[in-house]
Amino acid sequence: MATTVSLPPTPYTATTHKYESGLWSWLSTTDHKRVGQLYLYTSLFWFLVGGLEAGMIRTQLYGPNGHFVSATTYNELFTMHGTTMIFLVIMPLSAAFFNFLIPLQIGARDVAFPRLNAFSYWVFLFGGLFINASWFFHAAPNAGWFGYAPLTTRPYSPGLNIDFWVIGLQILGISSLAAGFNFITTIINMRAPGMHFMRMPVFTWMAFITQFLIVLAFPIITVALTFLMLDRFFGTNFYEVSAGADPLLWQHLFWLFGHPEVYILILPAFGLVSEVIPVFSRKPLFGYPVMIYSGILIAFLGFGVWAHHMFAVGMGPIADSFFSITTMLIAIPTGVKIFNWLGTMWGGSLRFTTAMKFAIGLVALFTIGGISGVMHASPPSDLQQTDSYFIVAHFHYVLFGGSMMGLFAGLYFFYPKITGRLMGEKAGSWHFWLTAIGMNLTFFPMHFLGLHGMPRRISTYDAGQGWEQDNHLASYGAILIVIGTCFFVYNWFRSMKTGKVAGNDPWGGATLEWMIPSPPPDYNFATIPNVTSRYPLWDRKSPRLTAEVPHGSAAETKIDVEVAGQKTGTLPAPSDTTGNAASPQPVTSSAKQLGIVMPTPTIRPLLAALSLGSVFIGLIMHKNLPIMFLAAICFMLSLYSWLLTPLEPEHH
Amino acid sequence: MTRDLRMRWLTPALALLLVLSLSACTSFTPNSIFGAHSQFGHIVDSLTRKLVVLGAIVFVLVETLIVFILVKFRERDGNREAKQFHGNATLEIGWTLVPAIILAFIAVPTIKTIFETEAKAPPSALQVEVIGHQWWWEFRYPQYGITTANELYLPVGRTANFALTTKDVLHSFWIPQLDGKRDLISNHTNYIWFTPDSAFAWNGFCAEYCGTSHANMRFKVFTVAPAEFDAWAAHQKTNAVGSAPPAPAPGAATDSAKGTPPVTKIATAVGTTTPAGEVAPPPVATPVMNVSDTVSATFPRNKLPEWVIPKTPTPAALTFDASATGDATRGMTLFRTAPCIACHAIRGVPTAQGIVGPNLTHVGGRTTIAGGIYPNDLHHLELWIKNAPAMKPGSLMPLFGKAEKGATPGVYTDQQIADLAAYLSSLK
């Protein structure tokens, strides 16, 4: 393919890994790549569910006074669409990449806490099932993903709906926090020799920043939800307005979490696109340090803008001015990122693979979301825009045009690394164009709907308000997105069987993950590589591409580090086996044969997650104390058993 | 190969452009935020237009740059080598500073407008208390002692200052063509004020999600000439039609005891609140209401614009006996002891003092019912009384039709409901 340097095969090709198979191996896995795939498939499933909800919303709103679903059902649909897409799709889909890629990109054999990693996934799975189980009780959450008090308090929402929501989000928060600490530890401690912070791949950098956002922002929503849970189950008065509570408490807590959450959703996609664009431009990333600093700055400023969601609550001119200015400031580092991507493409040799198309899609579409974002950073103007369809348009450009486009770019880009085969480019192209056109057709008219006075979250609107045409267009666009998604699903499963065999490095990648076989063996790297620049693989295969980027001194390349009883050497030259074999290479040597110590599989994280989840089941069953007590004991026992079992087999 | 590639992406790209231009083609926009008709609207409008223009410039520049890069630097003839550079300090400082300067151009007028629009309303302003309920609006005019629901009357040229509170969950008060949103927050009082500058009828919406019938919590606003407003206010202050007995009713007596000014004082009140030295533009309203001609002194129905008349279809399953002709007198007798009075008040009817539902004193003079989602006519009133929850999802008003199925059993025959509707309709 694009690789210009052909090198003789090395032992790496012979060590292609064959997974252990069977249900048990998946339930007990602690391999970060398998946990990543579990995240991947679970979140893609929820993507279809969330999309189905979106489709029903667009059917209802196709014309005025729609009666496809009742007002009650509509309110459940838009609440669950938002909750699903944010907590069960974009976040875990990013987590799938964190899991799969971070150890590979930093040259590690697994994450710092492999069992905690498995535990995170099982808790996430349980939380998603829990919150969606509400559908079967005809009690899906119905107060919006933002769940403003006092609508969520018992007097105004007496049913189980909000119970499912508040407990479900708590469960998902546990998962995110556990994963966050895990990845921070992994990235700080497990980088390969020579991989300084300023040589880390940009995706890993953005993931690193995201984890800090998660561990700083999730405790806030946890507090807010705990207050609500105490109100609903134990009669406290945090949000109980009849007892004099101030409902703005919830809003401040929620958005103090909610705005960093927006960056939790977008930064991983920025990271993925920063991997894809240089590879298909055949150029190093433009302004690497600035990309990193702007990411850090976005995350930092992201904690100081929350009240721009609240310009209509009457905070007074001083607060409005403050949050207006901070919000405008955050546009600057975001703009820098856009321009640096363009700078990367400038002068490049652009190859329009499907991954690249989606990456460019992010750059082009996120820009639109950014511009409308600046428009409602101006409070007087925002008073006309907030809670109207203009906002719906804005954040779908950010989250669909931004996050989802970036994640799709990542999926097409890393599919060969995950499965060993390439995804079909033709079906991929259909997927991209249908999604891009459908997405614009759906969300661009919503700008006009908002400016023409259509409020958000309404289950129906009257005829003759000038909203019919744009709502028609939006619903037609949704159909295109659905068709595009069908191409994606078809392509995904068909390529798994018949896709072209990828080899180690199908795209001419620059970072460590492209050095090892696809799919990688369970131990990832037989020898821990020694990193000399930001683009270790280009250093070997296309040195001309990295001639301009800073490199380590000669002394650095001599670093010897003992990992699992083995001395690491310098980076061996990789091989290029693209298209040479009919199927991914069969396994020849396992971790055991190579003397690499890997964590043993264990069912204990799953048991811990299940018993922890059962505590919450007891809570929602009208505080069923015996169940809660029993589950808590099971949780403690499984933790003990987890802690008393060694992580790895005994050293020999 | 290369040419093929170019052709292939050109078609969908053009389709995309077509789509974007299509959506801008709506010409009929009765609730547009750009059609400002108040001092507030004009200030915000000019700011928003500035933002739109700057946004459009940035949009065109960036997207053109993207397309240019994609065309110019696409891979050609296999292996054209990319130019290798990975940063440029001047450029990077440049594209940090330029957005900062653009933002400064937005920030300065923004801060100016914040302080302008959030200043205290002039003391001469018309005071209106807006009270949010699931899912209807209560409006009170404390200077006039008026309580009404779902329909606002505002004099052109006089600043109206709204004090916003809620009886239950959060709501948001929004009249796109007159003002921005301001939330109704429990245990808070929020304020927003504006000065309407032309006489017409407008749509208002609840803009903060407030539960089941959030979509059905609308209201109407009528901006009228000051003289017409005075006439309307004077009429609203009177007791309900047919209810004024020779001796003052206990209900009316209660009002006087509370210190609400009697009708005669209104003229003085209006006189003293005429803007003195206020910057508001002089009233440009051409009278629309024929004050001398109509008892009710309300916005004439035949002059209502199409988009202010609700077109919500009634539930197909809900029918009404067409032969039942209501009698207002019978309806009045029934009403005075009916469950209606537990929630609704009618000024001058001693038994009807409920405060949970909308005040019905002059309900017959309103153009809409049920939170602005149905036109106020006999047919809709009858269906509404018969089965409100079917007419409006989640309605806190129970059903009253005898055969209807719902949470509570209904008690009235269609004939009785027709009488009630006839009575309510007569309360002009």
Side-chain angles (χ1 to χ4, degrees), chain B residues 171-250:
Chain B
H171 304 279
S172 191
F173 178 76
W174 187 30
I175 313 156
Q177 296 191 305
L178 295 177
D179 76 332
K181 298 170 201 76
R182 187 63 83 200
D183 291 353
L184 284 60
I185 315 261
S186 331
N187 298 334
H188 279 253
T189 304
N190 264 339
Y191 295 91
I192 195 165
W193 57 270
F194 61 83
T195 316
D197 64 11
S198 43
F200 207 40
W202 319 98
N203 284 317
F205 303 93
C206 174
E208 183 61 83
Y209 178 64
C210 54
T212 312
S213 254
H214 166 55
N216 303 320
M217 185 171 167
R218 307 174 200 155
F219 60 101
K220 307 292 167 192
V221 186
F222 304 103
T223 48
V224 294
E228 295 172 321
F229 176 77
D230 292 344
W232 173 81
H235 176 71
Q236 291 291 312
K237 185 72 181 86
T238 59
N239 283 353
V241 179
S243 66

Side-chain angles (χ1 to χ4, degrees), chain A residues 142 245 320 348 364 386 544, chain B residues 63 80-81 86 118 181 187 209:
Chain A
N142 57 0
D320 282 359
T386 186
R544 212 189 51 77
Chain B
E63 303 293 341
R80 190 180 71 84
E81 282 298 337
H86 69 99
E118 293 189 28
K181 298 170 201 76
N187 298 334
Y209 178 64

Side-chain angles (χ1 to χ4, degrees), chain A residues 4 65 71-72 75 78 142-144 146 148-151 156 241 244-248 251 281-288 290 311-314 316-318 320-321 324-325 328-329 331-332 336 338-340 342-343 345-352 360 363-364 367-368 371 374-375 378-388 397 433 436-437 440-441 444-445 448 450-467 469-470 473 534 544-545 548-550, chain B residues 5 8-9 12-13 15-16 19-20 22-26 28-34 40 44 47-48 51-52 55-56 58-59 62-63 65-66 68-70 73-76 78-88 91-92 95-96 99-100 103 106-107 110-111 113-115 117-118 134 167-170 172 174-183 185-188 190 192 203 205-216 218 307-313 373 393:
Chain A
T4 47
N65 295 313
T72 319
N75 295 338
F78 85 73
N142 57 0
F146 50 93
Y148 274 5
L151 184 59
Y156 300 108
V241 287
D246 185 342
L248 292 187
Q251 292 196 20
S281 304
R282 302 289 295 157
K283 270 183 68 196
L285 187 69
F286 188 93
Y288 172 95
V290 176
F311 284 146
V313 306
I318 305 287
D320 282 359
S321 305
S324 167
I325 298 291
M328 288 181 192
L329 282 181
I332 296 174
V336 165
I338 299 278
F339 289 120
N340 277 17
L342 296 182
M345 290 193 275
W346 187 278
S349 178
L350 307 182
R351 243 186 324 146
F352 297 111
I360 296 167
V363 178
T367 301
I368 300 176
I371 293 170
V374 171
M375 287 179 65
S378 176
S381 190
D382 179 64
L383 290 185
Q384 283 288 23
Q385 298 163 27
T386 186
D387 281 321
S388 79
Y397 269 91
W433 283 111
I437 294 175
N440 281 288
L441 188 52
F444 205 80
F448 294 101
L451 297 176
H452 295 158
M454 180 162 166
R456 277 175 82 174
R457 302 164 186 141
I458 50 173
S459 55
T460 176
Y461 54 93
D462 206 359
Q465 305 295 312
W467 301 334
Q469 183 197 301
D470 284 337
L473 289 178
R534 285 171 204 153
R544 212 189 51 77
L545 294 182
E548 298 283 317
V549 299
Chain B
L5 202 72
R8 260 191 291 153
W9 68 260
L16 195 69
V19 159
L20 297 192
L22 246 180
S23 67
C25 287
T26 318
F28 175 67
T29 55
N31 303 307
S32 170
I33 68 159
F34 290 113
F40 182 103
V44 173
L47 183 64
T48 307
L51 292 170
V52 170
V58 175
F59 169 76
V62 175
E63 303 293 341
L65 184 63
I66 294 175
F68 174 78
I69 289 174
L70 297 187
F73 299 109
R74 69 187 186 278
E75 184 182 47
R76 273 174 288 206
N79 266 335
R80 190 180 71 84
E81 282 298 337
K83 271 187 218 148
Q84 293 306 316
F85 55 85
H86 69 99
N88 181 323
L91 266 179
E92 286 171 78
W95 62 53
T96 310
L103 288 172
I106 298 173
T110 291
I111 305 297
T113 314
I114 290 176
F115 282 89
T117 50
E118 293 189 28
Q134 278 181 324
K167 274 274 183 288
D168 38 56
V169 301
L170 310 189
S172 191
W174 187 30
I175 313 156
Q177 296 191 305
L178 295 177
D179 76 332
K181 298 170 201 76
R182 187 63 83 200
D183 291 353
I185 315 261
S186 331
N187 298 334
H188 279 253
N190 264 339
I192 195 165
N203 284 317
F205 303 93
C206 174
E208 183 61 83
Y209 178 64
C210 54
T212 312
S213 254
H214 166 55
N216 303 320
R218 307 174 200 155
W307 59 88
V308 171
I309 304 166
K311 286 167 243 352
T312 318
I373 60 167

